[in-house]
């Protein structure tokens, strides 16, 4: 007897009417899922619309701009975690297909003030992750008789090891992030072309540098820019007969500004994010904006609010024919956050939701938390 399943039809239905080039790309390890898979781990930045390209950030925020790394003390230890709601996907096709979070979804890092103007460190984080849960899948033999069932799912996550290096002068900051990223895909669903039963895996590493600069022409204003290059990888499931399929990852350009008032108690941030996801057959380029405000109520307490877009980047112009209408994935997030500091310890919380302004087909809510400890050298060396 053999195992048959129609699970893969959900993906084919969601991305139906493929053109020939579409058939040659991996579906799971793909920027297509960024509408849910992108994680926003730095709670300080998340609370103010996930802005920070032109800000001064701790080790948690270096993914926004490596030039933004600034430490108050000799060392810094920090950790963040994000929790996000599940999303019911393609309800017109099935009632039990969900996009879910993969735990852990976190970042941890150690920063080092190597000199008065030189900062570096090392961090680990999960920038992207999701689980596509098919629910209960019925298995039948060639006669259509039920022979069992299982919980079908596929998942994808990234593991990033990052070394940021930042140098500052009075009016200029420059930085580079040297990141090694491990992409991992997992599947427990027997596809029709699969030669055997069991788990299927994808795993590969890529080295991705990010360059960043921040210019401060005056004390009240700063301007920042980052760039990450595009890349691709030929991907193959280890238990499928299919040949390796390419995945195209986009170049990314982020531009940001920060305005500071009332002796730096009041901050306004505005960022623009571009990604040339049109390298993929079923996507167009991404254009999103982020806005945030922060007010320092007390020396130890700050509050934040913000807004950012995650606009639908799918397209039917290059061979795909999506079941969900183009534009139905547009998300408008409202964010709120706060930080409380007690001596060298800071605790930050942030809430992000795309269900307040509108309720798109893939709307979600997220909570991020960060803890940061600034350690002076006297505590380590007894001076």
């Amino acid at each position: 007897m053999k195992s048959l399943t129609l699970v893969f039809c959900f993906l084919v239905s969601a991305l139906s009417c493929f053109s020939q080039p579409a058939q040659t790309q991996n579906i799971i390890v793909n920027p297509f899922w960024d509408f849910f898979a992108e994680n926003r781990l730095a709670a300080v930045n998340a609370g103010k619309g996930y802005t920070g390209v032109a800000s001064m950030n701790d080790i948690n925020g270096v993914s926004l701009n490596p030039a933004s790394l600034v430490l108050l003390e000799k060392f810094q230890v920090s950790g963040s975690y994000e929790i996000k709601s599940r999303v019911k996907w393609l309800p017109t096709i099935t009632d039990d297909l969900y996009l879910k979070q993969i735990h852990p979804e976190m970042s941890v890092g150690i920063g080092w003030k190597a000199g008065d103007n030189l900062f570096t460190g090392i961090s680990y984080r999960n920038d992207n992750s999701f689980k596509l849960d098919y629910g209960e899948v019925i298995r039948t033999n060639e006669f259509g008789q039920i022979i069992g069932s299982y919980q079908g799912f596929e998942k994808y996550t990234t593991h990033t090891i990052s070394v940021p290096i930042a140098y500052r002068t009075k009016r200029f900051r420059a930085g580079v992030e040297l990141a090694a990223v491990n992409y991992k895909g997992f599947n427990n669903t027997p596809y029709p072309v699969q030669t055997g039963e069991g788990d299927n895996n994808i795993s590969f590493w890529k080295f991705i540098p990010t360059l960043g600069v921040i210019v401060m022409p005056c004390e009240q204003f700063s301007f920042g820019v980052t760039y990450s290059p595009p890349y691709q990888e030929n991907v193959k499931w280890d238990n499928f007969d299919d040949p390796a399929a390419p995945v195209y990852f986009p170049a990314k350009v982020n531009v940001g500004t920060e305005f500071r008032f009332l002796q730096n108690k009041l901050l306004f941030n505005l960022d623009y994010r571009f990604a040339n996801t049109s390298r993929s057959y079923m996507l167009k380029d991404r254009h999103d904006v982020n806005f945030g405000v922060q007010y320092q109520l007390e020396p130890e307490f700050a509050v934040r609010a913000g807004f950012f877009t995650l606009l639908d980047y799918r397209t039917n112009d290059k061979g795909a024919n999506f079941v969900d209408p183009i534009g139905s994935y547009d998300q408008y997030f409202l964010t709120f956050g706060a930080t409380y500091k007690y001596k060298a310890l800071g605790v930050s919380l942030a809430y992000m939701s795309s269900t307040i302004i509108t309720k798109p087909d893939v709307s979600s809510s997220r909570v991020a938390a960060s803890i940061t400890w600034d350690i002076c050298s006297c505590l380590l060396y007894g001076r």
Side-chain angles (χ1 to χ4, degrees), residues 144 147 177 242 318 357:
I147 59 174
E177 181 185 42
D242 291 7
K318 296 186 289 183
I357 299 177

Side-chain angles (χ1 to χ4, degrees), residues 69-228:
L69 178 60
V70 175
L71 305 181
L72 301 177
E73 300 290 350
K74 187 70 174 180
F75 298 95
Q76 182 182 84
V77 179
S78 187
S80 297
Y81 205 93
E82 183 186 53
I83 297 175
K84 55 189 175 185
S85 61
R86 68 179 186 176
V87 170
K88 191 173 185 178
W89 193 50
L90 301 179
T92 58
I93 297 177
T94 178
D95 290 330
D96 58 355
L97 185 61
Y98 287 93
L99 291 165
K100 296 182 177 180
Q101 178 176 7
I102 297 177
H103 294 283
E105 189 173 298
M106 66 177 188
S107 69
V108 292
I110 300 174
W112 175 39
K113 188 177 182 180
D116 290 340
N117 299 310
L118 182 63
F119 307 90
T120 186
I122 187 169
S123 68
Y124 164 86
R125 62 180 186 264
N126 307 114
D127 288 326
N128 301 80
S129 60
F130 79 96
K131 177 181 179 180
L132 181 59
D133 191 339
Y134 295 113
E136 184 180 19
V137 180
I138 304 299
R139 300 176 61 194
T140 63
N141 60 19
E142 58 267 34
F143 305 108
Q145 298 170 324
I146 296 176
I147 59 174
S149 65
Y150 65 96
Q151 295 296 315
F153 67 92
E154 304 191 57
K155 62 181 181 180
Y156 159 56
T157 189
T158 61
H159 305 272
T160 299
I161 300 173
S162 160
V163 176
I165 303 171
Y167 182 80
R168 70 176 179 181
T169 64
K170 184 177 180 180
R171 300 298 184 192
F172 182 78
R173 300 172 187 265
V176 60
E177 181 185 42
L178 307 175
V181 185
N182 179 221
Y183 294 82
K184 295 185 72 70
F186 178 87
N187 171 288
N188 77 335
T189 303
Y191 283 24
V193 296
Q194 188 178 331
T195 57
E197 296 182 9
D199 298 338
N200 310 285
N201 295 277
I202 290 173
S203 181
F204 62 93
W205 286 86
K206 299 296 286 186
F207 173 73
I208 307 167
T210 298
L211 304 176
V213 297
I214 297 176
V215 180
M216 295 172 291
C218 63
E219 295 295 333
Q220 290 75 38
F221 174 74
S222 58
F223 173 83
V225 180
T226 69
Y227 171 76
S228 300

Side-chain angles (χ1 to χ4, degrees), residues 350-370:
Y351 174 74
M352 300 162 276
S353 178
S354 63
T355 65
I356 299 174
I357 299 177
T358 60
K359 292 187 177 181
D361 292 347
V362 293
S363 60
S364 65
S365 297
R366 302 163 180 242
V367 175
S370 298

